[in-house]
Amino acid sequence: MSSPAAPRCALIDSLSTSRPVQLEPLLECLLRRYRGSVAVREEAAFVLRCPGCGCFLRDPVTVQCGHTYCWPCLRGEPRRRCRLCQGDTGHPPRRTGVLLRRLADKCLPGRSWQHRDIAELLEAGEHREALHRIRSVLQTDPGDLTLRVYRAESYAALFEYGKAHEDLDFVLSKQPDWPEVYYRKAKVLQETGNLYESLTFYLQCLALDKEFTSARSEIEKILRDFLCPVPETIEDVLRDLEIKPLPNLPLKPFVLEADRKETAYHLHTSQEQQEGTPKLMKSPSSSGQQRARSVHVLHCEKTNSEEGLKRVASEPLLSSQENGTLLKRKFSLSEQDANICEDGRKKHLRHGETSYGDFSSLMADPSTLHKLIDGNDFECSLCMRLFYEPVTTPCGHTFCKKCLERCLDHTPQCPLCKQSLAEYLARRTFNVTLLLEELIKQYLPEELCERKRLHEEETVELSDLTKNVPMFVCTMAYPTVPCPLHVFEPRYRLMIRRCMETGTKQFGMCISDPEKSFADYGCMLQIRNVHFLPDGRSVVDTIGGKRFQVLNRGMRDGYCTADIDYLTDTRVDEEELQQLGELHDAVYAQACHWFQNLRHRFRSQILHHFGSMPEREDNIQGSPSGPAWCWWLLAVLPVDPRYQLSVLSMRSLKDRLLKIQHILTYFSREQTK
């Protein structure tokens, strides 16, 4: 017999799983209201501006998607998506880009590592020392907003909440669309027990950045506390379940007065903490008291739309018994409250600074940055030419995309610092560093134009399928016959990649020749698919195309090349065509007979590797290389490659059929034995 508590526990579980579904429409409703009210800064475009905080890129870090942020913006980042393209930002730790940091040091000498040193002090809990360092730096650069955010973090850790709010308000007055600052301010408000005010800042943060998952989680927790009872014991849970069935229990009345003009919240100072004021939001008992001070259960009466009240969920008025059971919460909506945030912003706008120090001078005079940029700083250390499609590795070094790929073909290490790039190679996300590309476009346009011209000339040369055609020296290949390849040598990795990049997707296949390096005849292969393995190797699915004859041999970057002439069968007149057709039908029938008489094991292996035998063609002169079944049969017959090569080089279909007939006659005799 089951316990009576079992169905109640099941109802508790059902309620806990349904709450996120109930909160989602409420959250979206609130966000719609805030998205239209959040401020967005309108400033002149500056290439060395961080897209996260809007400040100067003192410590630039390029993430996996190719965008560049300052290191403080990525410190403790609660998200894995880029704010600009929603692409993956990769795994920490993230290294500073060497080239961009060098440029930042030219613009603001000696300041690229200040933020990281202070952040390390904060992570170590050395908040007093961090404050000392921040004060000394702000004396020389009072417009550094990131340091003010760090200082607010130190103040909050030392329970000096008033000073923390003052710094955060100043930052928001300068950068009103910085989501992380809204989040930090909301956290401070939440720690001081001002839940309603913290909710508004969490909503502003999420309205600016919908992927800010930490803010979304905090909003859901606050709304859940606002709307749901918080029984302190299991007995209270069971008593609530007896009062009202959970499956049909609607949300409590919740009205958000979004048009409220002013709000006040009490901020503790370090002196108050030392005198014995307890830190709020630390115990379950005090938690309920703080929420009771911050939240009102409003009466479900009609309100005027002009007063800005919006009903999100409704419920009939509770009875006296229910009112005595459920926890009451209240919003503090006093009309005499003063909005410290808004007042702080206005104060800073009136009395604050209008410049960002050296950063503002760079923005005001773009020619200053142009004077600092040297074309030699933008040269690839591998090809010694201007960057083309620059890619920044996780270790912070930058190379041309193609240069880096060639190095990774040999070893999965950075060419400069030798740090392992095995994981980077496995992802194969060599995204271009967009900031570097933009810098080159703006400040080195002539050099870039010349670099593009050289690249286009190289591409045209690599795209020629008659001169300097890439050669894969390995095995016999035949027209229309699949030829899967396992590519692991660095030279052939490069060759396959170039075939894909140029768009030809073709290369020649020849067998080796001890005297000439490779044979005089071969077959072109068409790439159908390339599957890259994590270590850089690849499995290439190809199928045979045209036959060719080698005219001249060459070498390019380690792999063989050749000037070639394509082969086609000689066409015959009507009289010879009839005799050729009879020979064709006879050899085809003989081939079918031989294949059907093979042992089951051999026949299964052939079907697995080469597929079934092609059907007989009515027009035997329709293809430049003749009927497809001839090449399929030549590929599966256990014949010496030199003999197969002699058949491949024939331009006469009649001679080819006679050769195949001779081979089939020999193997048919072996089958009878």
PDB file of all heavy atoms in Angstrom, residues 636-652:
ATOM      1  N   VAL A 636      38.762  -4.377 -61.383  1.00  0.00           N
ATOM      2  CA  VAL A 636      38.577  -5.514 -60.473  1.00  0.00           C
ATOM      3  C   VAL A 636      39.400  -6.730 -60.890  1.00  0.00           C
ATOM      4  O   VAL A 636      39.615  -7.635 -60.074  1.00  0.00           O
ATOM      5  CB  VAL A 636      37.087  -5.893 -60.392  1.00  0.00           C
ATOM      6  CG1 VAL A 636      36.250  -4.699 -59.954  1.00  0.00           C
ATOM      7  CG2 VAL A 636      36.568  -6.430 -61.725  1.00  0.00           C
ATOM      8  N   LEU A 637      39.882  -6.764 -62.120  1.00  0.00           N
ATOM      9  CA  LEU A 637      40.673  -7.917 -62.555  1.00  0.00           C
ATOM     10  C   LEU A 637      42.048  -7.907 -61.884  1.00  0.00           C
ATOM     11  O   LEU A 637      42.694  -6.856 -61.812  1.00  0.00           O
ATOM     12  CB  LEU A 637      40.853  -7.900 -64.077  1.00  0.00           C
ATOM     13  CG  LEU A 637      39.639  -8.295 -64.913  1.00  0.00           C
ATOM     14  CD1 LEU A 637      39.886  -8.000 -66.386  1.00  0.00           C
ATOM     15  CD2 LEU A 637      39.297  -9.767 -64.709  1.00  0.00           C
ATOM     16  N   PRO A 638      42.503  -9.038 -61.385  1.00  0.00           N
ATOM     17  CA  PRO A 638      43.821  -9.120 -60.730  1.00  0.00           C
ATOM     18  C   PRO A 638      44.950  -9.156 -61.754  1.00  0.00           C
ATOM     19  O   PRO A 638      45.581 -10.187 -61.992  1.00  0.00           O
ATOM     20  CB  PRO A 638      43.732 -10.419 -59.928  1.00  0.00           C
ATOM     21  CG  PRO A 638      42.780 -11.270 -60.689  1.00  0.00           C
ATOM     22  CD  PRO A 638      41.778 -10.348 -61.301  1.00  0.00           C
ATOM     23  N   VAL A 639      45.211  -7.982 -62.347  1.00  0.00           N
ATOM     24  CA  VAL A 639      46.198  -7.876 -63.420  1.00  0.00           C
ATOM     25  C   VAL A 639      47.311  -6.940 -62.959  1.00  0.00           C
ATOM     26  O   VAL A 639      47.079  -6.006 -62.176  1.00  0.00           O
ATOM     27  CB  VAL A 639      45.541  -7.349 -64.712  1.00  0.00           C
ATOM     28  CG1 VAL A 639      46.547  -7.296 -65.854  1.00  0.00           C
ATOM     29  CG2 VAL A 639      44.350  -8.214 -65.099  1.00  0.00           C
ATOM     30  N   ASP A 640      48.515  -7.179 -63.453  1.00  0.00           N
ATOM     31  CA  ASP A 640      49.659  -6.327 -63.139  1.00  0.00           C
ATOM     32  C   ASP A 640      49.373  -4.885 -63.564  1.00  0.00           C
ATOM     33  O   ASP A 640      48.827  -4.642 -64.643  1.00  0.00           O
ATOM     34  CB  ASP A 640      50.906  -6.845 -63.861  1.00  0.00           C
ATOM     35  CG  ASP A 640      52.137  -6.040 -63.503  1.00  0.00           C
ATOM     36  OD1 ASP A 640      52.766  -6.371 -62.482  1.00  0.00           O
ATOM     37  OD2 ASP A 640      52.443  -5.081 -64.240  1.00  0.00           O
ATOM     38  N   PRO A 641      49.711  -3.895 -62.722  1.00  0.00           N
ATOM     39  CA  PRO A 641      49.429  -2.493 -63.063  1.00  0.00           C
ATOM     40  C   PRO A 641      50.036  -2.056 -64.394  1.00  0.00           C
ATOM     41  O   PRO A 641      49.454  -1.210 -65.079  1.00  0.00           O
ATOM     42  CB  PRO A 641      50.038  -1.724 -61.888  1.00  0.00           C
ATOM     43  CG  PRO A 641      50.014  -2.683 -60.748  1.00  0.00           C
ATOM     44  CD  PRO A 641      50.247  -4.031 -61.351  1.00  0.00           C
ATOM     45  N   ARG A 642      51.171  -2.616 -64.785  1.00  0.00           N
ATOM     46  CA  ARG A 642      51.764  -2.234 -66.066  1.00  0.00           C
ATOM     47  C   ARG A 642      50.893  -2.671 -67.228  1.00  0.00           C
ATOM     48  O   ARG A 642      50.770  -1.962 -68.234  1.00  0.00           O
ATOM     49  CB  ARG A 642      53.157  -2.869 -66.194  1.00  0.00           C
ATOM     50  CG  ARG A 642      54.173  -2.353 -65.196  1.00  0.00           C
ATOM     51  CD  ARG A 642      54.455  -0.888 -65.460  1.00  0.00           C
ATOM     52  NE  ARG A 642      55.238  -0.284 -64.388  1.00  0.00           N
ATOM     53  CZ  ARG A 642      55.564   0.996 -64.346  1.00  0.00           C
ATOM     54  NH1 ARG A 642      55.165   1.798 -65.308  1.00  0.00           N
ATOM     55  NH2 ARG A 642      56.266   1.483 -63.342  1.00  0.00           N
ATOM     56  N   TYR A 643      50.285  -3.834 -67.089  1.00  0.00           N
ATOM     57  CA  TYR A 643      49.370  -4.304 -68.131  1.00  0.00           C
ATOM     58  C   TYR A 643      48.123  -3.420 -68.162  1.00  0.00           C
ATOM     59  O   TYR A 643      47.621  -3.061 -69.231  1.00  0.00           O
ATOM     60  CB  TYR A 643      49.003  -5.760 -67.860  1.00  0.00           C
ATOM     61  CG  TYR A 643      48.347  -6.459 -69.015  1.00  0.00           C
ATOM     62  CD1 TYR A 643      49.109  -7.103 -69.987  1.00  0.00           C
ATOM     63  CD2 TYR A 643      46.959  -6.466 -69.154  1.00  0.00           C
ATOM     64  CE1 TYR A 643      48.508  -7.742 -71.062  1.00  0.00           C
ATOM     65  CE2 TYR A 643      46.346  -7.096 -70.218  1.00  0.00           C
ATOM     66  CZ  TYR A 643      47.129  -7.732 -71.165  1.00  0.00           C
ATOM     67  OH  TYR A 643      46.527  -8.356 -72.237  1.00  0.00           O
ATOM     68  N   GLN A 644      47.610  -3.063 -66.963  1.00  0.00           N
ATOM     69  CA  GLN A 644      46.452  -2.176 -66.896  1.00  0.00           C
ATOM     70  C   GLN A 644      46.779  -0.808 -67.495  1.00  0.00           C
ATOM     71  O   GLN A 644      45.930  -0.189 -68.147  1.00  0.00           O
ATOM     72  CB  GLN A 644      46.005  -2.018 -65.437  1.00  0.00           C
ATOM     73  CG  GLN A 644      45.441  -3.289 -64.818  1.00  0.00           C
ATOM     74  CD  GLN A 644      45.137  -3.120 -63.343  1.00  0.00           C
ATOM     75  OE1 GLN A 644      45.852  -2.425 -62.640  1.00  0.00           O
ATOM     76  NE2 GLN A 644      44.086  -3.760 -62.879  1.00  0.00           N
ATOM     77  N   LEU A 645      48.007  -0.319 -67.251  1.00  0.00           N
ATOM     78  CA  LEU A 645      48.408   0.976 -67.783  1.00  0.00           C
ATOM     79  C   LEU A 645      48.416   0.963 -69.309  1.00  0.00           C
ATOM     80  O   LEU A 645      48.018   1.953 -69.944  1.00  0.00           O
ATOM     81  CB  LEU A 645      49.791   1.347 -67.251  1.00  0.00           C
ATOM     82  CG  LEU A 645      50.336   2.712 -67.659  1.00  0.00           C
ATOM     83  CD1 LEU A 645      49.450   3.834 -67.138  1.00  0.00           C
ATOM     84  CD2 LEU A 645      51.771   2.887 -67.174  1.00  0.00           C
ATOM     85  N   SER A 646      48.837  -0.163 -69.916  1.00  0.00           N
ATOM     86  CA  SER A 646      48.842  -0.254 -71.384  1.00  0.00           C
ATOM     87  C   SER A 646      47.420  -0.175 -71.935  1.00  0.00           C
ATOM     88  O   SER A 646      47.189   0.417 -72.988  1.00  0.00           O
ATOM     89  CB  SER A 646      49.522  -1.551 -71.818  1.00  0.00           C
ATOM     90  OG  SER A 646      48.770  -2.679 -71.382  1.00  0.00           O
ATOM     91  N   VAL A 647      46.461  -0.768 -71.223  1.00  0.00           N
ATOM     92  CA  VAL A 647      45.056  -0.681 -71.658  1.00  0.00           C
ATOM     93  C   VAL A 647      44.526   0.741 -71.475  1.00  0.00           C
ATOM     94  O   VAL A 647      43.774   1.255 -72.305  1.00  0.00           O
ATOM     95  CB  VAL A 647      44.192  -1.696 -70.882  1.00  0.00           C
ATOM     96  CG1 VAL A 647      42.731  -1.607 -71.315  1.00  0.00           C
ATOM     97  CG2 VAL A 647      44.714  -3.113 -71.094  1.00  0.00           C
ATOM     98  N   LEU A 648      44.911   1.396 -70.361  1.00  0.00           N
ATOM     99  CA  LEU A 648      44.449   2.757 -70.090  1.00  0.00           C
ATOM    100  C   LEU A 648      44.916   3.734 -71.175  1.00  0.00           C
ATOM    101  O   LEU A 648      44.200   4.679 -71.519  1.00  0.00           O
ATOM    102  CB  LEU A 648      44.967   3.216 -68.719  1.00  0.00           C
ATOM    103  CG  LEU A 648      44.552   4.609 -68.264  1.00  0.00           C
ATOM    104  CD1 LEU A 648      43.071   4.644 -67.908  1.00  0.00           C
ATOM    105  CD2 LEU A 648      45.393   5.062 -67.078  1.00  0.00           C
ATOM    106  N   SER A 649      46.088   3.496 -71.738  1.00  0.00           N
ATOM    107  CA  SER A 649      46.655   4.430 -72.715  1.00  0.00           C
ATOM    108  C   SER A 649      46.100   4.249 -74.122  1.00  0.00           C
ATOM    109  O   SER A 649      46.381   5.063 -74.999  1.00  0.00           O
ATOM    110  CB  SER A 649      48.176   4.264 -72.755  1.00  0.00           C
ATOM    111  OG  SER A 649      48.524   2.955 -73.196  1.00  0.00           O
ATOM    112  N   MET A 650      45.329   3.202 -74.376  1.00  0.00           N
ATOM    113  CA  MET A 650      44.822   2.925 -75.727  1.00  0.00           C
ATOM    114  C   MET A 650      43.764   3.935 -76.134  1.00  0.00           C
ATOM    115  O   MET A 650      42.868   4.278 -75.361  1.00  0.00           O
ATOM    116  CB  MET A 650      44.235   1.517 -75.784  1.00  0.00           C
ATOM    117  CG  MET A 650      45.273   0.409 -75.658  1.00  0.00           C
ATOM    118  SD  MET A 650      44.496  -1.221 -75.715  1.00  0.00           S
ATOM    119  CE  MET A 650      45.958  -2.278 -75.663  1.00  0.00           C
ATOM    120  N   ARG A 651      43.828   4.382 -77.380  1.00  0.00           N
ATOM    121  CA  ARG A 651      42.825   5.284 -77.947  1.00  0.00           C
ATOM    122  C   ARG A 651      41.815   4.546 -78.814  1.00  0.00           C
ATOM    123  O   ARG A 651      40.867   5.153 -79.291  1.00  0.00           O
ATOM    124  CB  ARG A 651      43.513   6.360 -78.790  1.00  0.00           C
ATOM    125  CG  ARG A 651      44.439   7.289 -78.005  1.00  0.00           C
ATOM    126  CD  ARG A 651      45.161   8.231 -78.939  1.00  0.00           C
ATOM    127  NE  ARG A 651      46.077   9.124 -78.255  1.00  0.00           N
ATOM    128  CZ  ARG A 651      45.795  10.383 -77.900  1.00  0.00           C
ATOM    129  NH1 ARG A 651      44.606  10.881 -78.191  1.00  0.00           N
ATOM    130  NH2 ARG A 651      46.689  11.133 -77.284  1.00  0.00           N
ATOM    131  N   SER A 652      42.000   3.238 -78.999  1.00  0.00           N
ATOM    132  CA  SER A 652      41.097   2.435 -79.840  1.00  0.00           C
ATOM    133  C   SER A 652      40.253   1.536 -78.951  1.00  0.00           C
ATOM    134  O   SER A 652      40.779   0.737 -78.164  1.00  0.00           O
ATOM    135  CB  SER A 652      41.895   1.592 -80.828  1.00  0.00           C
ATOM    136  OG  SER A 652      41.058   0.662 -81.493  1.00  0.00           O
TER     137      SER A 652
END
